[in-house]
Amino acid sequence: MAITSANQLELLQTAEAVAREKMIDPGLVVEAMEESLARAAKSRYGAEMDIRVSIDRKTGKATFTRVRTVVDEEELENYQAEFTVDQAKQYMENPEIGDTFVEEVPPVEMGRIAAQSAKQVILQKVREAERDRQFEEFKDRAGTIVNALVKREEYGNVVVDLGTTPEAVLRRTEKIGRESYRPNDRIRCYIKDVRREVRGPQIFLSRTAPEFMAKLFEMEVPEIYDGVIEIKAVARDPGSRAKIAVISYDSSIDPVGACVGMRGSRVQAVVNELQGEKIDIIPWNEDMPTFLVNALQPAEVSKVVLDEDAERIEVVVPEEQLSLAIGRRGQNVRLASQLTGLDIDIMTEEQESQRRQAEFEERTKLFMDTLDLDEFFAQLLVSEGFTNLEEVAYVEVEELLVIDGVDEATAGELQARARDHIEAQNKAALEKARELGVEDSLVEFEGLTPQMVQALAEDGVKTLEDFATCADWELAGGWTTVEGERVKDDGVLEPFDVSLEEAQDMVMTARVMLGWVDPDDLVADQAEEEGEPEEAEA
């Protein structure tokens, strides 16, 4: 195929037709043609030559040029595409390194193989441009609902047509229950993510995502769309039951009532789309215990105990409400846990009473054994709120004097016995730690008791360097999510009620002592976190 005047205009017509069909810029198609023609010319003139082709966007005329670049004599490698300053003087006036010399060369005739190669280059470029267009079209639509046309179902996965893109797939795991579709059915899906991949943009659809329900409510409830009502949290057991927490920023609008609608019309529209999924609409509350009581509806709650550090919450319910609070197969409490982001322990009033009694007896026995007290006196201490020896040993004397039958002499004797026992425990723990090979640098570290040092030693932490390499959660414990389930990580110092913040402070102090961290950097980071600019030194 020769580039002649007969087919020059045809190039542009072809580019326009392809661009119109694929909905891409005609200029991209012309650039692909230029690249394919340049490749064909290189096979004719030599692969080492820098041959470029320019197609006039109006006439379709293709101009072939050879480009040579002026380089330093020591860097000259490709004699076909580069030349030195001295060699360039016969073609250019005052050549300098980096200048280029462009000369036109005769057009080439493309043989069958070259024409086939050019076709492949153009098709590849067009495909890339089409994929880029599709990605650009959908990348900002992640987090929205689309209407899709079902084309077919393969092994439980539904292949859908979104109109201007290649087929998208609604995977079996993203379908609600056992729902099935026939070709040409119209379904609504939530776009979870759009990724650019080699085979084109991949659009991940879902009907089970909590965000899908939130978007459906936004479409049905104008107050949510307008921002008067906000959806704070959603938890779903797709196809079965869901809980959604809402809050109103207008005191005159009831958020639950607005989402339910007149005679339940709004919530029913969402339920119908979600294959009959039952939805509990719950008022959001910043007070977590109050919010949890709402989240556990329809069960009634007697008492809530929140442990913010452990992100756990204990809920006490009447015996007859236990099965309702837990729900079928634990569904109600599981959804409430997802909604609040807390681990929930549910117990009956009788179970809580038994636990409290067990704790009372355990603390009573502790005081009887360590302070050599009779049962009645030990029970008095526990009743006044004392839970351990440290509280007895180091509390203000006045707090002991409020106990019936305790005078100053008795209070002093109690504290002396408690301190003696604590010192004996510390001595034994220190001896055990030294037997395990603990160094003085760790023993003398401020903030660590002998019992803590012993626990660290038993865990293999025997030097200040070992301690400085620990993560805060390794010391204080924490929670991680594994396959959607929250898993407890036990900390070495967790039995001593060391918080994450305290563990972090101790580890950073150890790193500063060892010279691993500059204390000035530490102060700067802390000031930045608090939003306070560091004061300049005078």
Side-chain angles (χ1 to χ4, degrees):
M1 180 181 75
I3 303 299
T4 63
S5 58
N7 58 21
Q8 286 175 358
L9 196 56
E10 188 180 341
L11 281 177
L12 292 181
Q13 291 173 345
T14 302
E16 287 283 351
V18 172
R20 200 163 42 246
E21 179 186 349
K22 302 295 185 180
M23 290 187 292
I24 59 177
D25 183 2
L28 295 174
V29 183
V30 175
E31 287 176 11
M33 290 179 170
E34 290 173 340
E35 184 178 333
S36 64
L37 291 174
R39 284 195 183 187
K42 284 185 178 181
S43 65
R44 170 76 166 75
Y45 288 110
E48 293 186 346
M49 285 192 180
D50 186 1
I51 302 293
R52 303 178 190 179
V53 178
S54 175
I55 297 177
D56 190 292
R57 271 33 176 197
K58 292 183 179 179
T59 64
K61 180 182 178 181
T63 303
F64 291 70
T65 55
R66 176 189 180 187
V67 180
R68 281 185 282 183
T69 306
V70 180
V71 298
D72 188 89
E73 188 172 352
E74 295 179 357
E75 297 178 358
L76 181 63
E77 294 180 356
N78 184 354
Y79 293 91
Q80 298 293 341
E82 301 170 342
F83 49 13
T84 64
V85 174
D86 291 336
Q87 292 170 339
K89 286 181 179 178
Q90 56 183 312
Y91 304 102
M92 308 167 63
E93 291 184 9
N94 303 321
E96 295 182 0
I97 294 175
D99 289 347
T100 56
F101 176 69
V102 181
E103 58 181 334
E104 191 170 341
V105 295
V108 298
E109 290 190 5
M110 298 177 69
R112 183 178 61 83
I113 295 176
Q116 188 66 23
S117 175
K119 181 181 178 182
Q120 291 298 327
V121 171
I122 293 172
L123 288 175
Q124 178 64 26
K125 288 290 184 182
V126 169
R127 274 196 294 267
E128 290 176 2
E130 185 180 15
R131 288 169 182 167
D132 288 342
R133 177 193 62 77
Q134 292 166 348
F135 177 76
E136 291 298 322
E137 178 184 349
F138 272 86
K139 71 174 183 179
D140 295 328
R141 295 182 65 181
T144 62
I145 289 179
V146 291
N147 289 307
L149 184 68
V150 175
K151 298 190 72 174
R152 61 187 180 278
E153 193 164 355
E154 299 174 347
Y155 306 106
N157 301 323
V158 181
V159 181
V160 300
D161 182 6
L162 297 180
T164 58
T165 65
E167 298 171 342
V169 178
L170 175 66
R171 297 193 179 279
R172 180 173 52 191
T173 54
E174 299 294 339
K175 290 163 55 180
I176 298 174
R178 297 182 179 179
E179 61 184 2
S180 60
Y181 299 100
R182 291 175 295 182
N184 297 321
D185 281 353
R186 287 211 165 266
I187 61 173
R188 286 198 280 189
C189 301
Y190 177 78
I191 300 179
K192 289 182 70 175
D193 193 13
V194 181
R195 300 178 193 166
R196 191 197 298 270
E197 296 187 5
V198 177
R199 56 184 177 174
Q202 296 298 299
I203 301 169
F204 297 86
L205 303 177
S206 175
R207 284 175 56 80
T208 61
E211 297 85 357
F212 182 47
M213 175 182 286
K215 285 293 179 182
L216 289 173
F217 269 103
E218 185 177 319
M219 294 168 67
E220 296 293 336
V221 183
E223 291 87 349
I224 296 177
Y225 182 82
D226 294 336
V228 178
I229 294 175
E230 182 185 355
I231 297 174
K232 300 290 286 185
V234 180
R236 292 182 64 191
D237 190 350
S240 177
R241 193 172 178 186
K243 290 179 183 285
I244 181 169
V246 292
I247 186 172
S248 173
Y249 296 111
D250 185 338
S251 58
S252 64
I253 296 177
D254 172 25
V256 176
C259 291
V260 172
M262 185 71 70
R263 296 182 181 177
S265 58
R266 292 175 176 178
V267 71
Q268 193 58 47
V270 178
V271 168
N272 293 340
E273 178 64 39
L274 299 178
Q275 305 294 320
E277 190 170 318
K278 295 178 181 177
I279 303 173
D280 295 335
I281 304 173
I282 296 159
W284 168 270
N285 196 303
E286 289 186 0
D287 180 58
M288 192 55 67
T290 304
F291 178 44
L292 181 67
V293 170
N294 295 338
L296 282 171
Q297 291 177 0
E300 296 177 4
V301 177
S302 302
K303 188 168 73 170
V304 174
V305 180
L306 174 63
D307 184 348
E308 293 183 355
D309 291 336
E311 294 186 354
R312 294 184 67 84
I313 199 161
E314 290 181 353
V315 177
V316 180
V317 298
E319 181 73 37
E320 66 275 8
Q321 294 286 319
L322 181 63
S323 59
L324 191 61
I326 295 174
R328 184 167 55 92
R329 297 176 184 173
Q331 186 184 66
N332 193 51
V333 68
R334 184 171 64 251
L335 290 175
S337 179
Q338 292 175 15
L339 203 66
T340 58
L342 297 170
D343 282 332
I344 301 173
D345 290 334
I346 292 186
M347 62 182 71
T348 64
E349 293 173 343
E350 182 181 351
Q351 289 171 333
E352 193 225 4
S353 175
Q354 291 173 351
R355 192 196 66 177
R356 289 171 63 87
Q357 183 62 32
E359 288 179 354
F360 186 87
E361 292 174 358
E362 182 182 346
R363 291 169 184 168
T364 299
K365 189 173 186 306
L366 169 69
F367 292 140
M368 289 172 62
D369 294 343
T370 57
L371 301 180
D372 192 22
L373 300 177
D374 59 33
E375 184 177 7
F376 178 74
F377 206 110
Q379 287 176 346
L380 283 177
L381 281 177
V382 178
S383 300
E384 288 296 329
F386 291 96
T387 60
N388 54 54
L389 288 178
E390 284 74 11
E391 291 179 357
V392 176
Y394 303 111
V395 76
E396 294 292 334
V397 176
E398 287 74 14
E399 294 193 30
L400 289 171
L401 295 178
V402 298
I403 302 174
D404 289 339
V406 175
D407 54 20
E408 289 192 9
T410 307
E413 178 63 21
L414 279 174
Q415 290 195 315
R417 290 184 188 181
R419 289 168 185 167
D420 287 344
H421 193 84
I422 291 171
E423 288 175 8
Q425 285 182 325
N426 290 345
K427 183 178 179 182
L430 207 53
E431 288 176 357
K432 180 63 176 177
R434 293 197 184 279
E435 287 176 10
L436 293 171
V438 168
E439 294 185 0
D440 288 342
S441 59
L442 190 61
V443 173
E444 296 167 0
F445 184 79
E446 187 176 353
L448 293 179
T449 65
Q451 284 86 354
M452 291 181 185
V453 174
Q454 179 185 348
L456 289 169
E458 290 171 349
D459 199 59
V461 180
K462 301 178 182 180
T463 68
L464 192 60
E465 287 81 0
D466 294 340
F467 185 72
T469 59
C470 292
D472 50 10
W473 61 267
E474 291 179 304
L475 299 176
W479 295 84
T480 53
T481 302
V482 179
E483 297 180 356
E485 295 291 331
R486 286 172 60 79
V487 179
K488 181 73 174 69
D489 294 318
D490 293 328
V492 183
L493 303 182
E494 191 172 354
F496 306 99
D497 294 329
V498 173
S499 68
L500 274 173
E501 291 76 12
E502 290 170 338
Q504 189 176 41
D505 288 342
M506 286 195 289
V507 169
M508 291 308 297
T509 300
R511 292 173 183 175
V512 170
M513 290 173 64
L514 292 168
W516 296 358
V517 175
D518 188 337
D520 292 337
D521 293 340
L522 210 58
V523 172
D525 291 342
Q526 187 176 2
E528 186 175 337
E529 286 180 7
E530 294 174 354
E532 299 175 359
E534 210 178 347
E535 294 184 5
E537 291 184 5

